[in-house]
Amino acid sequence: MVKSVPTWLRAAAVIFVLVTALILLTPLFVVIGVSVSQSQFIAFPPNGLSLRWYQQVLSSNAYLGAGWISLQVAVMVTVFATLIGGAAAIAIHRRQLMFSDLLATAFLSPLVLPTIIYAIGMLMFWSAVFGPVSPFTLALSHTIIALPYVVRTTLAVLAESDPFLEEAARTMGASRVQRLWFVVVPQCIPGLAAGAFFAFNISFDEAVLSLFLRGPTLTTLPVQIYGQLEFSPDPSVAAVSSIMIALTIMLIFVIDRMLGLTRFASA
Amino acid sequence: MNDRTESLLLALPGLLLLVLAFFLPIGQMLVLSISGPDGPTLSHFARFLSDPFYLGILWRTVRLSLLITVICALIGFPLAYIMARVGPRLRLWLVVMVILPLMTSVVVRTFGWMVLLSRSGLIPELLRDMGLVGRSFALMQTEAAIVIGMVQVLLPFMTLSILGVITRIDGRLEEAARTMGCSFLQSFRTVVLPLSLPGIVAGSLLCFTLSTSLVCDAQSARRHANTSVGGIDLQIGYPNAGLAVCCSTGGHIIRWHPAGTGALYQDDGLQQWLSQSRHGCVRLP
Protein backbone atom coordinates (compact mmCIF):
# COMPACT_ATOMS: atom_id res chain seq x y z
CA MET A 1 0.00 0.00 0.00
CA VAL A 2 1.33 3.37 -0.95
CA LYS A 3 0.72 5.55 2.01
CA SER A 4 2.49 8.75 1.29
CA VAL A 5 -0.10 11.41 1.66
CA PRO A 6 1.90 14.63 1.79
CA THR A 7 2.19 16.04 5.27
CA TRP A 8 0.80 19.42 4.32
CA LEU A 9 -2.26 17.69 2.95
CA ARG A 10 -2.76 15.77 6.17
CA ALA A 11 -2.48 19.01 8.07
CA ALA A 12 -4.95 20.62 5.69
CA ALA A 13 -7.36 17.73 6.23
CA VAL A 14 -7.15 18.11 10.00
CA ILE A 15 -7.76 21.85 9.77
CA PHE A 16 -10.62 21.27 7.34
CA VAL A 17 -12.33 18.84 9.70
CA LEU A 18 -11.82 21.13 12.68
CA VAL A 19 -13.26 24.15 10.87
CA THR A 20 -16.25 22.12 9.66
CA ALA A 21 -16.84 20.87 13.18
CA LEU A 22 -16.63 24.44 14.46
CA ILE A 23 -19.25 25.68 12.03
CA LEU A 24 -21.55 22.72 12.53
CA LEU A 25 -21.40 22.56 16.29
CA THR A 26 -20.87 26.14 17.47
CA PRO A 27 -24.57 27.02 17.54
CA LEU A 28 -25.22 24.05 19.79
CA PHE A 29 -22.33 24.85 22.12
CA VAL A 30 -23.49 28.44 22.29
CA VAL A 31 -26.94 27.31 23.41
CA ILE A 32 -25.41 25.19 26.16
CA GLY A 33 -23.14 28.08 27.11
CA VAL A 34 -26.03 30.51 27.44
CA SER A 35 -27.97 28.04 29.55
CA VAL A 36 -25.45 28.03 32.40
CA SER A 37 -25.20 31.80 32.51
CA GLN A 38 -26.04 33.69 35.68
CA SER A 39 -27.28 36.78 33.91
CA GLN A 40 -30.89 37.74 33.27
CA PHE A 41 -30.23 38.14 29.60
CA ILE A 42 -29.12 35.95 26.80
CA ALA A 43 -25.41 36.52 26.64
CA PHE A 44 -22.50 34.64 25.23
CA PRO A 45 -19.89 34.05 26.55
CA PRO A 46 -21.85 33.48 29.77
CA ASN A 47 -21.09 35.61 32.78
CA GLY A 48 -20.96 33.54 35.88
CA LEU A 49 -21.92 29.94 36.20
CA SER A 50 -25.20 28.74 37.57
CA LEU A 51 -27.84 26.13 37.11
CA ARG A 52 -30.66 28.47 38.10
CA TRP A 53 -32.23 28.38 34.65
CA TYR A 54 -32.44 24.64 34.74
CA GLN A 55 -34.08 24.92 38.12
CA GLN A 56 -36.53 27.44 36.70
CA VAL A 57 -37.36 25.19 33.76
CA LEU A 58 -37.95 22.19 35.97
CA SER A 59 -40.33 24.18 38.14
CA SER A 60 -42.18 25.87 35.30
CA ASN A 61 -45.60 24.51 34.56
CA ALA A 62 -45.55 25.81 30.99
CA TYR A 63 -42.40 23.88 30.11
CA LEU A 64 -43.31 20.76 32.03
CA GLY A 65 -46.80 20.71 30.52
CA ALA A 66 -45.46 21.18 27.00
CA GLY A 67 -42.80 18.55 27.65
CA TRP A 68 -45.45 16.09 28.83
CA ILE A 69 -47.52 16.65 25.68
CA SER A 70 -44.44 16.30 23.49
CA LEU A 71 -43.59 13.06 25.24
CA GLN A 72 -47.10 11.63 24.79
CA VAL A 73 -47.16 12.57 21.11
CA ALA A 74 -43.65 11.23 20.56
CA VAL A 75 -44.48 7.88 22.15
CA MET A 76 -47.60 7.56 20.01
CA VAL A 77 -45.57 8.42 16.91
CA THR A 78 -42.89 5.90 17.83
CA VAL A 79 -45.43 3.09 18.13
CA PHE A 80 -47.41 4.00 15.00
CA ALA A 81 -44.43 4.66 12.78
CA THR A 82 -42.54 1.55 13.84
CA LEU A 83 -45.46 -0.82 13.38
CA ILE A 84 -46.79 0.68 10.17
CA GLY A 85 -43.43 1.51 8.62
CA GLY A 86 -41.92 -1.82 9.55
CA ALA A 87 -44.78 -3.77 7.98
CA ALA A 88 -44.63 -1.60 4.87
CA ALA A 89 -40.87 -2.12 4.58
CA ILE A 90 -41.30 -5.89 4.72
CA ALA A 91 -43.93 -5.66 1.98
CA ILE A 92 -41.70 -3.45 -0.16
CA HIS A 93 -38.71 -5.72 0.36
CA ARG A 94 -40.58 -8.80 -0.83
CA ARG A 95 -41.27 -7.12 -4.16
CA GLN A 96 -44.29 -9.29 -4.86
CA LEU A 97 -46.60 -6.40 -5.46
CA MET A 98 -46.66 -5.09 -8.99
CA PHE A 99 -46.24 -1.54 -7.83
CA SER A 100 -43.63 -2.01 -5.12
CA ASP A 101 -41.35 0.62 -6.68
CA LEU A 102 -44.18 3.08 -6.59
CA LEU A 103 -44.93 1.97 -3.06
CA ALA A 104 -41.39 2.72 -1.94
CA THR A 105 -41.58 6.16 -3.52
CA ALA A 106 -44.94 6.81 -1.87
CA PHE A 107 -43.58 5.96 1.55
CA LEU A 108 -40.53 8.16 1.13
CA SER A 109 -42.39 11.07 -0.44
CA PRO A 110 -43.21 12.92 2.80
CA LEU A 111 -39.47 13.50 3.05
CA VAL A 112 -39.37 15.92 0.13
CA LEU A 113 -42.58 17.87 0.46
CA PRO A 114 -41.98 21.11 2.35
CA THR A 115 -43.30 20.47 5.85
CA ILE A 116 -44.99 23.82 5.85
CA ILE A 117 -47.09 22.94 2.84
CA TYR A 118 -48.03 19.62 4.37
CA ALA A 119 -48.86 21.41 7.61
CA ILE A 120 -51.22 23.84 5.89
CA GLY A 121 -52.84 21.03 3.89
CA MET A 122 -53.28 18.84 6.95
CA LEU A 123 -54.76 21.69 8.97
CA MET A 124 -57.27 22.59 6.27
CA PHE A 125 -58.20 18.99 5.58
CA TRP A 126 -58.52 17.94 9.19
CA SER A 127 -60.56 20.94 10.27
CA ALA A 128 -62.84 20.50 7.28
CA VAL A 129 -63.39 16.77 7.75
CA PHE A 130 -62.90 15.91 11.42
CA GLY A 131 -63.10 19.22 13.26
CA PRO A 132 -60.62 20.60 15.80
CA VAL A 133 -57.14 19.13 16.05
CA SER A 134 -56.15 16.90 18.93
CA PRO A 135 -52.89 15.31 20.11
CA PHE A 136 -53.92 12.37 17.96
CA THR A 137 -53.98 14.56 14.82
CA LEU A 138 -50.53 15.81 15.65
CA ALA A 139 -49.31 12.25 16.23
CA LEU A 140 -50.72 11.14 12.87
CA SER A 141 -49.03 13.94 10.98
CA HIS A 142 -45.74 13.35 12.80
CA THR A 143 -46.07 9.68 11.93
CA ILE A 144 -46.30 10.62 8.27
CA ILE A 145 -43.01 12.49 8.33
CA ALA A 146 -41.34 9.82 10.47
CA LEU A 147 -42.41 6.92 8.23
CA PRO A 148 -39.70 7.42 5.59
CA TYR A 149 -37.01 6.98 8.23
CA VAL A 150 -38.47 3.76 9.64
CA VAL A 151 -39.01 2.36 6.15
CA ARG A 152 -35.47 3.22 5.16
CA THR A 153 -33.76 1.80 8.24
CA THR A 154 -35.80 -1.39 8.06
CA LEU A 155 -35.12 -1.80 4.34
CA ALA A 156 -31.43 -1.30 5.05
CA VAL A 157 -31.46 -4.25 7.45
CA LEU A 158 -33.64 -6.40 5.22
CA ALA A 159 -31.32 -5.86 2.28
CA GLU A 160 -28.66 -7.81 4.18
CA SER A 161 -30.98 -10.49 5.50
CA ASP A 162 -30.87 -14.07 4.30
CA PRO A 163 -33.88 -14.92 2.11
CA PHE A 164 -33.30 -18.63 2.59
CA LEU A 165 -34.11 -18.52 6.28
CA GLU A 166 -37.73 -17.88 5.46
CA GLU A 167 -37.59 -20.55 2.79
CA ALA A 168 -36.24 -23.02 5.33
CA ALA A 169 -38.98 -22.17 7.82
CA ARG A 170 -41.49 -22.72 5.07
CA THR A 171 -40.17 -26.17 4.17
CA MET A 172 -40.21 -27.08 7.83
CA GLY A 173 -43.91 -26.32 7.89
CA ALA A 174 -44.11 -22.91 9.55
CA SER A 175 -47.30 -21.01 8.83
CA ARG A 176 -47.34 -17.51 7.34
CA VAL A 177 -47.79 -15.80 10.66
CA GLN A 178 -45.11 -17.95 12.27
CA ARG A 179 -42.64 -17.18 9.48
CA LEU A 180 -43.34 -13.50 9.78
CA TRP A 181 -43.16 -13.37 13.53
CA PHE A 182 -40.32 -15.81 14.23
CA VAL A 183 -38.14 -15.36 11.15
CA VAL A 184 -38.66 -12.01 9.42
CA VAL A 185 -39.40 -9.68 12.33
CA PRO A 186 -36.42 -10.79 14.46
CA GLN A 187 -34.17 -10.06 11.47
CA CYS A 188 -35.66 -6.58 11.18
CA ILE A 189 -35.20 -5.67 14.83
CA PRO A 190 -32.06 -3.54 14.54
CA GLY A 191 -33.66 -1.53 11.75
CA LEU A 192 -36.97 -1.27 13.55
CA ALA A 193 -35.27 -0.12 16.72
CA ALA A 194 -33.19 2.49 14.92
CA GLY A 195 -36.30 3.64 13.08
CA ALA A 196 -38.21 3.86 16.34
CA PHE A 197 -35.59 6.11 17.86
CA PHE A 198 -35.52 8.25 14.73
CA ALA A 199 -39.30 8.54 14.91
CA PHE A 200 -39.19 9.56 18.55
CA ASN A 201 -36.54 12.15 17.87
CA ILE A 202 -38.34 13.58 14.86
CA SER A 203 -41.62 13.91 16.69
CA PHE A 204 -40.05 15.31 19.83
CA ASP A 205 -38.14 17.97 17.88
CA GLU A 206 -40.70 18.80 15.20
CA ALA A 207 -41.77 22.44 15.17
CA VAL A 208 -43.50 23.34 11.91
CA LEU A 209 -46.38 20.87 12.05
CA SER A 210 -46.76 21.42 15.77
CA LEU A 211 -46.97 25.14 15.18
CA PHE A 212 -49.79 24.82 12.69
CA LEU A 213 -51.66 22.05 14.45
CA ARG A 214 -51.52 23.58 17.88
CA GLY A 215 -54.48 24.37 20.05
CA PRO A 216 -55.01 26.24 23.29
CA THR A 217 -54.10 23.14 25.27
CA LEU A 218 -51.91 21.52 22.65
CA THR A 219 -48.48 23.09 22.82
CA THR A 220 -45.43 20.93 22.32
CA LEU A 221 -42.01 21.71 23.69
CA PRO A 222 -40.51 23.16 20.48
CA VAL A 223 -43.58 25.39 20.05
CA GLN A 224 -43.23 26.52 23.66
CA ILE A 225 -39.57 27.35 23.02
CA TYR A 226 -40.51 29.17 19.84
CA GLY A 227 -43.12 31.26 21.64
CA GLN A 228 -40.73 32.05 24.46
CA LEU A 229 -38.06 33.08 21.96
CA GLU A 230 -40.46 35.39 20.22
CA PHE A 231 -41.93 37.13 23.24
CA SER A 232 -39.56 37.00 26.17
CA PRO A 233 -36.27 35.34 25.41
CA ASP A 234 -34.32 34.51 28.55
CA PRO A 235 -31.72 31.83 29.33
CA SER A 236 -34.45 29.39 30.39
CA VAL A 237 -35.00 28.83 26.66
CA ALA A 238 -31.36 27.85 26.41
CA ALA A 239 -31.74 25.47 29.35
CA VAL A 240 -34.67 23.62 27.73
CA SER A 241 -32.81 23.60 24.44
CA SER A 242 -29.75 22.11 26.11
CA ILE A 243 -31.87 19.38 27.61
CA MET A 244 -33.21 18.64 24.14
CA ILE A 245 -29.70 18.58 22.68
CA ALA A 246 -28.62 16.14 25.37
CA LEU A 247 -31.58 13.92 24.54
CA THR A 248 -30.68 14.02 20.84
CA ILE A 249 -27.07 13.07 21.52
CA MET A 250 -28.26 10.18 23.64
CA LEU A 251 -30.60 8.99 20.89
CA ILE A 252 -27.86 9.22 18.26
CA PHE A 253 -25.65 6.91 20.26
CA VAL A 254 -28.49 4.52 20.90
CA ILE A 255 -29.22 4.41 17.16
CA ASP A 256 -25.57 3.75 16.47
CA ARG A 257 -25.62 0.89 18.95
CA MET A 258 -28.69 -0.55 17.28
CA LEU A 259 -27.63 -0.39 13.70
CA GLY A 260 -24.41 1.50 13.15
CA LEU A 261 -24.88 5.00 11.82
CA THR A 262 -22.69 4.59 8.78
CA ARG A 263 -24.85 1.81 7.43
CA PHE A 264 -27.57 4.25 6.41
CA ALA A 265 -25.21 5.77 3.94
CA SER A 266 -24.74 2.54 2.06
CA ALA A 267 -28.27 1.23 2.41
CA MET B 1 -53.94 -16.65 1.16
CA ASN B 2 -51.06 -16.25 -1.23
CA ASP B 3 -47.84 -14.30 -0.98
CA ARG B 4 -49.22 -11.29 -2.73
CA THR B 5 -52.18 -10.96 -0.38
CA GLU B 6 -49.82 -11.18 2.56
CA SER B 7 -47.64 -8.37 1.19
CA LEU B 8 -50.70 -6.31 0.50
CA LEU B 9 -51.97 -6.82 4.03
CA LEU B 10 -48.62 -5.76 5.42
CA ALA B 11 -48.55 -2.58 3.35
CA LEU B 12 -52.20 -1.77 3.86
CA PRO B 13 -52.11 0.14 7.17
CA GLY B 14 -49.32 2.31 5.84
CA LEU B 15 -51.12 2.93 2.58
CA LEU B 16 -54.32 3.85 4.36
CA LEU B 17 -52.49 6.26 6.62
CA LEU B 18 -50.61 7.82 3.70
CA VAL B 19 -53.77 8.29 1.69
CA LEU B 20 -55.86 9.63 4.55
CA ALA B 21 -53.33 11.84 6.24
CA PHE B 22 -50.99 12.77 3.40
CA PHE B 23 -52.23 12.39 -0.14
CA LEU B 24 -55.77 13.59 0.57
CA PRO B 25 -54.68 16.81 2.30
CA ILE B 26 -52.14 17.51 -0.41
CA GLY B 27 -54.68 16.63 -3.09
CA GLN B 28 -57.15 18.99 -1.54
CA MET B 29 -54.60 21.76 -1.76
CA LEU B 30 -53.97 20.94 -5.40
CA VAL B 31 -57.67 21.06 -6.14
CA LEU B 32 -57.96 24.37 -4.32
CA SER B 33 -55.12 25.76 -6.36
CA ILE B 34 -57.08 25.25 -9.57
CA SER B 35 -60.55 26.05 -8.32
CA GLY B 36 -62.07 29.50 -8.61
CA PRO B 37 -65.47 31.05 -7.89
CA ASP B 38 -66.80 29.65 -11.14
CA GLY B 39 -65.28 26.32 -11.97
CA PRO B 40 -61.71 25.22 -12.54
CA THR B 41 -59.29 27.98 -13.28
CA LEU B 42 -55.60 28.52 -13.75
CA SER B 43 -55.87 32.11 -12.61
CA HIS B 44 -54.02 31.47 -9.33
CA PHE B 45 -51.11 30.07 -11.26
CA ALA B 46 -51.31 32.93 -13.73
CA ARG B 47 -51.28 35.41 -10.88
CA PHE B 48 -48.34 33.69 -9.29
CA LEU B 49 -46.35 33.53 -12.49
CA SER B 50 -47.07 37.12 -13.47
CA ASP B 51 -46.40 38.65 -10.08
CA PRO B 52 -42.80 39.86 -10.02
CA PHE B 53 -42.80 39.58 -6.23
CA TYR B 54 -43.51 35.86 -6.26
CA LEU B 55 -41.25 35.27 -9.23
CA GLY B 56 -38.50 37.01 -7.31
CA ILE B 57 -38.99 34.69 -4.37
CA LEU B 58 -39.12 31.67 -6.65
CA TRP B 59 -35.88 32.70 -8.29
CA ARG B 60 -34.28 33.34 -4.93
CA THR B 61 -35.32 29.89 -3.75
CA VAL B 62 -33.73 28.25 -6.78
CA ARG B 63 -30.61 30.41 -6.58
CA LEU B 64 -30.07 29.81 -2.87
CA SER B 65 -30.72 26.09 -3.28
CA LEU B 66 -28.10 25.85 -6.02
CA LEU B 67 -25.62 27.76 -3.90
CA ILE B 68 -26.35 25.55 -0.88
CA THR B 69 -25.95 22.40 -2.96
CA VAL B 70 -22.61 23.52 -4.35
CA ILE B 71 -21.28 24.44 -0.92
CA CYS B 72 -22.48 21.11 0.48
CA ALA B 73 -20.69 19.26 -2.31
CA LEU B 74 -17.49 21.25 -1.79
CA ILE B 75 -17.45 20.45 1.92
CA GLY B 76 -19.10 17.04 1.72
CA PHE B 77 -16.78 15.38 -0.78
CA PRO B 78 -13.48 15.91 1.03
CA LEU B 79 -15.20 15.18 4.33
CA ALA B 80 -16.60 11.90 3.02
CA TYR B 81 -13.17 10.94 1.69
CA ILE B 82 -11.57 11.66 5.04
CA MET B 83 -14.31 9.66 6.78
CA ALA B 84 -13.70 6.71 4.48
CA ARG B 85 -9.98 6.71 5.20
CA VAL B 86 -9.86 7.14 8.98
CA GLY B 87 -10.40 4.40 11.54
CA PRO B 88 -13.89 3.29 12.56
CA ARG B 89 -13.82 5.11 15.91
CA LEU B 90 -12.98 8.46 14.42
CA ARG B 91 -15.46 7.82 11.62
CA LEU B 92 -18.24 7.37 14.13
CA TRP B 93 -17.37 10.69 15.77
CA LEU B 94 -17.32 12.42 12.39
CA VAL B 95 -20.71 10.96 11.51
CA VAL B 96 -22.09 12.11 14.86
CA MET B 97 -20.68 15.57 14.24
CA VAL B 98 -22.33 15.76 10.83
CA ILE B 99 -25.65 14.30 11.90
CA LEU B 100 -26.11 16.12 15.22
CA PRO B 101 -27.31 19.46 13.80
CA LEU B 102 -29.80 17.62 11.59
CA MET B 103 -31.23 15.74 14.52
CA THR B 104 -31.50 18.78 16.75
CA SER B 105 -34.77 20.63 16.79
CA VAL B 106 -35.01 23.50 14.34
CA VAL B 107 -35.94 25.93 17.12
CA VAL B 108 -32.87 24.99 19.11
CA ARG B 109 -30.60 25.39 16.09
CA THR B 110 -32.13 28.70 15.17
CA PHE B 111 -31.74 29.89 18.73
CA GLY B 112 -28.04 29.09 18.55
CA TRP B 113 -27.63 31.00 15.30
CA MET B 114 -29.61 33.88 16.76
CA VAL B 115 -27.18 34.25 19.62
CA LEU B 116 -24.31 34.14 17.16
CA LEU B 117 -25.60 36.20 14.26
CA SER B 118 -28.17 38.74 15.48
CA ARG B 119 -27.33 42.42 15.82
CA SER B 120 -26.08 42.09 19.37
CA GLY B 121 -24.72 38.63 18.62
CA LEU B 122 -21.21 37.33 18.93
CA ILE B 123 -20.04 37.54 15.34
CA PRO B 124 -21.41 40.97 14.35
CA GLU B 125 -20.03 42.38 17.63
CA LEU B 126 -16.66 40.89 16.86
CA LEU B 127 -16.66 42.30 13.33
CA ARG B 128 -17.79 45.67 14.67
CA ASP B 129 -15.01 45.76 17.25
CA MET B 130 -12.54 45.04 14.50
CA GLY B 131 -13.98 47.98 12.64
CA LEU B 132 -14.91 45.95 9.60
CA VAL B 133 -18.61 46.71 9.53
CA GLY B 134 -21.00 49.49 10.41
CA ARG B 135 -23.10 49.98 13.52
CA SER B 136 -26.30 48.43 12.24
CA PHE B 137 -24.69 45.33 10.79
CA ALA B 138 -26.53 42.08 11.45
CA LEU B 139 -26.32 38.66 9.89
CA MET B 140 -29.56 37.18 11.12
CA GLN B 141 -32.37 37.17 8.59
CA THR B 142 -30.05 37.62 5.67
CA GLU B 143 -29.46 35.30 2.78
CA ALA B 144 -26.08 34.49 4.24
CA ALA B 145 -27.77 33.22 7.39
CA ILE B 146 -30.14 31.06 5.38
CA VAL B 147 -27.25 29.55 3.45
CA ILE B 148 -25.18 28.85 6.56
CA GLY B 149 -28.13 27.33 8.37
CA MET B 150 -29.16 25.16 5.42
CA VAL B 151 -25.64 23.90 4.77
CA GLN B 152 -25.45 22.89 8.41
CA VAL B 153 -28.60 20.80 8.04
CA LEU B 154 -28.08 19.37 4.57
CA LEU B 155 -24.43 18.43 4.86
CA PRO B 156 -25.19 14.97 6.29
CA PHE B 157 -27.29 14.03 3.25
CA MET B 158 -24.49 14.97 0.90
CA THR B 159 -21.68 13.51 3.00
CA LEU B 160 -23.41 10.19 3.68
CA SER B 161 -24.44 9.77 0.04
CA ILE B 162 -20.85 10.24 -1.07
CA LEU B 163 -19.47 8.13 1.76
CA GLY B 164 -21.63 5.21 0.65
CA VAL B 165 -20.06 5.32 -2.79
CA ILE B 166 -16.49 6.02 -1.71
CA THR B 167 -16.36 3.05 0.67
CA ARG B 168 -17.18 0.81 -2.28
CA ILE B 169 -14.35 2.06 -4.47
CA ASP B 170 -11.72 -0.63 -4.80
CA GLY B 171 -8.76 0.62 -2.76
CA ARG B 172 -6.37 -1.12 -5.15
CA LEU B 173 -7.32 1.29 -7.93
CA GLU B 174 -5.87 4.14 -5.95
CA GLU B 175 -2.80 2.09 -5.06
CA ALA B 176 -2.28 1.16 -8.69
CA ALA B 177 -2.43 4.80 -9.70
CA ARG B 178 0.09 5.64 -7.00
CA THR B 179 2.50 2.85 -7.99
CA MET B 180 2.28 4.01 -11.57
CA GLY B 181 3.64 7.34 -10.44
CA CYS B 182 0.62 9.49 -9.68
CA SER B 183 0.97 11.93 -6.86
CA PHE B 184 -1.71 11.78 -4.18
CA LEU B 185 -3.58 14.71 -5.66
CA GLN B 186 -3.39 13.26 -9.16
CA SER B 187 -4.83 9.93 -8.09
CA PHE B 188 -7.42 11.77 -6.05
CA ARG B 189 -8.47 13.76 -9.09
CA THR B 190 -8.29 11.06 -11.74
CA VAL B 191 -9.38 7.99 -9.76
CA VAL B 192 -11.36 8.88 -6.66
CA LEU B 193 -13.25 11.85 -8.03
CA PRO B 194 -14.67 10.21 -11.17
CA LEU B 195 -15.57 7.06 -9.29
CA SER B 196 -17.40 8.95 -6.58
CA LEU B 197 -19.24 11.13 -9.06
CA PRO B 198 -22.44 9.06 -8.79
CA GLY B 199 -22.46 9.73 -5.04
CA ILE B 200 -21.92 13.42 -5.62
CA VAL B 201 -24.74 13.52 -8.15
CA ALA B 202 -27.12 11.58 -5.89
CA GLY B 203 -26.19 13.76 -2.92
CA SER B 204 -26.61 16.94 -4.92
CA LEU B 205 -30.04 15.93 -6.18
CA LEU B 206 -31.09 15.14 -2.66
CA CYS B 207 -29.60 18.37 -1.29
CA PHE B 208 -31.19 20.51 -3.94
CA THR B 209 -34.59 18.92 -3.51
CA LEU B 210 -34.50 19.18 0.24
CA SER B 211 -33.14 22.69 0.21
CA THR B 212 -35.83 24.03 -2.10
CA SER B 213 -38.34 22.76 0.41
CA LEU B 214 -36.37 23.92 3.44
CA VAL B 215 -35.57 27.34 2.05
CA CYS B 216 -39.30 27.70 1.72
CA ASP B 217 -39.66 26.86 5.40
CA ALA B 218 -36.81 29.14 6.34
CA GLN B 219 -38.12 32.08 4.43
CA SER B 220 -41.57 31.75 5.84
CA ALA B 221 -40.26 31.42 9.36
CA ARG B 222 -38.18 34.48 8.71
CA ARG B 223 -41.12 36.42 7.37
CA HIS B 224 -43.16 35.40 10.29
CA ALA B 225 -40.48 36.53 12.68
CA ASN B 226 -40.01 39.75 10.78
CA THR B 227 -43.53 40.93 10.52
CA SER B 228 -45.65 39.18 13.02
CA VAL B 229 -48.69 41.31 12.37
CA GLY B 230 -48.65 42.26 8.74
CA GLY B 231 -46.80 39.21 7.55
CA ILE B 232 -48.47 38.50 4.27
CA ASP B 233 -46.36 36.14 2.31
CA LEU B 234 -44.65 32.93 1.91
CA GLN B 235 -43.65 32.27 -1.57
CA ILE B 236 -46.76 30.20 -1.61
CA GLY B 237 -49.88 31.87 -2.89
CA TYR B 238 -53.33 31.39 -1.47
CA PRO B 239 -56.92 31.59 -2.56
CA ASN B 240 -59.10 32.94 0.16
CA ALA B 241 -60.74 29.72 1.30
CA GLY B 242 -57.89 28.41 3.36
CA LEU B 243 -56.75 31.85 4.35
CA ALA B 244 -59.46 32.12 6.95
CA VAL B 245 -58.52 28.78 8.46
CA CYS B 246 -54.90 29.72 8.76
CA CYS B 247 -55.67 33.15 10.13
CA SER B 248 -57.93 31.86 12.80
CA THR B 249 -55.64 29.11 13.99
CA GLY B 250 -52.07 30.14 13.64
CA GLY B 251 -52.34 33.86 13.50
CA HIS B 252 -50.30 33.43 10.36
CA ILE B 253 -51.48 35.08 7.24
CA ILE B 254 -50.51 32.83 4.46
CA ARG B 255 -51.18 32.83 0.80
CA TRP B 256 -50.37 29.59 -0.82
CA HIS B 257 -49.99 28.39 -4.26
CA PRO B 258 -48.36 25.91 -6.57
CA ALA B 259 -47.56 23.43 -3.88
CA GLY B 260 -48.37 20.92 -6.56
CA THR B 261 -45.91 21.95 -9.16
CA GLY B 262 -43.24 21.95 -6.51
CA ALA B 263 -44.13 18.50 -5.29
CA LEU B 264 -44.26 16.99 -8.75
CA TYR B 265 -41.02 18.39 -9.93
CA GLN B 266 -39.35 17.34 -6.74
CA ASP B 267 -40.43 13.76 -7.13
CA ASP B 268 -38.15 13.37 -10.12
CA GLY B 269 -35.13 13.89 -7.96
CA LEU B 270 -36.48 11.52 -5.37
CA GLN B 271 -37.09 8.86 -7.96
CA GLN B 272 -33.52 9.04 -9.13
CA TRP B 273 -32.16 9.07 -5.66
CA LEU B 274 -34.26 6.07 -4.75
CA SER B 275 -33.36 4.00 -7.75
CA GLN B 276 -29.72 4.75 -7.13
CA SER B 277 -29.73 4.08 -3.46
CA ARG B 278 -31.75 0.93 -3.91
CA HIS B 279 -29.11 -0.63 -6.07
CA GLY B 280 -26.72 0.02 -3.28
CA CYS B 281 -23.82 1.16 -5.28
CA VAL B 282 -24.85 3.66 -7.82
CA ARG B 283 -24.13 2.49 -11.33
CA LEU B 284 -20.84 3.67 -12.68
CA PRO B 285 -20.80 5.68 -15.87
Side-chain angles (χ1 to χ4, degrees), chain A residues 82 188-198 255 258:
Chain A
T82 313
C188 294
I189 279 184
L192 286 175
F197 285 107
F198 266 119
I255 292 174
M258 294 289 168

Side-chain angles (χ1 to χ4, degrees), chain B:
Chain B
M1 188 159 83
N2 61 20
D3 285 351
R4 195 171 274 178
T5 331
E6 193 190 345
S7 292
L8 198 61
L9 279 180
L10 281 172
L12 207 58
L15 276 177
L16 277 180
L17 182 68
L18 272 184
V19 169
L20 275 179
F22 188 69
F23 290 118
L24 274 182
I26 301 300
Q28 191 200 18
M29 284 185 71
L30 293 185
V31 171
L32 264 180
S33 75
I34 54 161
S35 54
D38 22 58
T41 170
L42 287 175
S43 66
H44 303 310
F45 285 84
R47 211 183 66 215
F48 179 87
L49 291 173
S50 59
D51 188 335
F53 175 73
Y54 287 128
L55 285 181
I57 294 178
L58 194 65
W59 166 234
R60 183 165 69 182
T61 305
V62 173
R63 188 167 45 89
L64 287 183
S65 301
L66 278 176
L67 185 63
I68 290 162
T69 309
V70 169
I71 295 177
C72 278
L74 287 179
I75 302 177
F77 178 56
L79 196 60
Y81 184 78
I82 293 170
M83 277 180 182
R85 291 289 175 266
V86 296
R89 263 203 107 71
L90 189 53
R91 184 180 313 138
L92 173 64
W93 282 105
L94 288 177
V95 172
V96 170
M97 159 190 115
V98 165
I99 230 173
L100 185 59
L102 172 71
M103 303 256 305
T104 316
S105 179
V106 58
V107 282
V108 174
R109 244 172 4 215
T110 313
F111 176 45
W113 285 120
M114 230 172 73
V115 176
L116 280 171
L117 300 179
S118 69
R119 188 169 301 179
S120 54
L122 203 60
I123 293 175
E125 292 255 282
L126 208 66
L127 292 176
R128 222 169 297 149
D129 288 348
M130 289 159 68
L132 291 174
V133 294
R135 192 171 289 269
S136 60
F137 178 80
L139 275 168
M140 205 58 191
Q141 296 177 359
T142 60
E143 289 190 354
I146 293 186
V147 171
I148 297 176
M150 290 295 135
V151 167
Q152 189 199 17
V153 182
L154 293 175
L155 196 59
F157 293 98
M158 178 69 83
T159 313
L160 296 183
S161 296
I162 301 177
L163 182 63
V165 176
I166 285 190
T167 43
R168 285 195 176 79
I169 296 177
D170 192 339
R172 286 170 302 182
L173 287 176
E174 228 179 316
E175 285 170 31
R178 296 299 300 277
T179 23
M180 302 306 269
C182 271
S183 71
F184 174 79
L185 281 182
Q186 271 175 324
S187 81
F188 191 70
R189 198 169 56 80
T190 52
V191 177
V192 182
L193 186 60
L195 284 178
S196 40
L197 214 51
I200 300 178
V201 171
S204 300
L205 277 174
L206 191 60
C207 262
F208 185 77
T209 320
L210 289 174
S211 70
T212 46
S213 76
L214 284 173
V215 166
C216 158
D217 285 353
Q219 283 181 344
S220 51
R222 188 177 95 111
R223 292 285 164 181
H224 181 64
N226 256 353
T227 48
S228 289
V229 186
I232 316 164
D233 49 45
L234 303 184
Q235 61 266 58
I236 339 169
Y238 206 27
N240 291 327
L243 186 93
V245 183
C246 288
C247 276
S248 57
T249 27
H252 304 239
I253 304 180
I254 290 154
R255 319 228 224 108
W256 71 281
H257 204 65
T261 45
L264 289 178
Y265 116 82
Q266 285 178 351
D267 248 346
D268 249 3
L270 178 76
Q271 198 71 46
Q272 285 200 33
W273 176 63
L274 281 178
S275 63
Q276 279 170 334
S277 50
R278 191 162 41 234
H279 296 132
C281 178
V282 196
R283 252 159 301 150
L284 299 177

Side-chain angles (χ1 to χ4, degrees), chain A residues 6 24 38 45 56 68 79 87 89 155 162 179 186 203 206 245 251 265:
Chain A
L24 287 179
Q38 217 157 20
Q56 177 163 342
W68 176 233
V79 175
L155 278 177
D162 185 353
R179 290 205 301 269
S203 169
E206 212 285 332
I245 294 174
L251 285 173

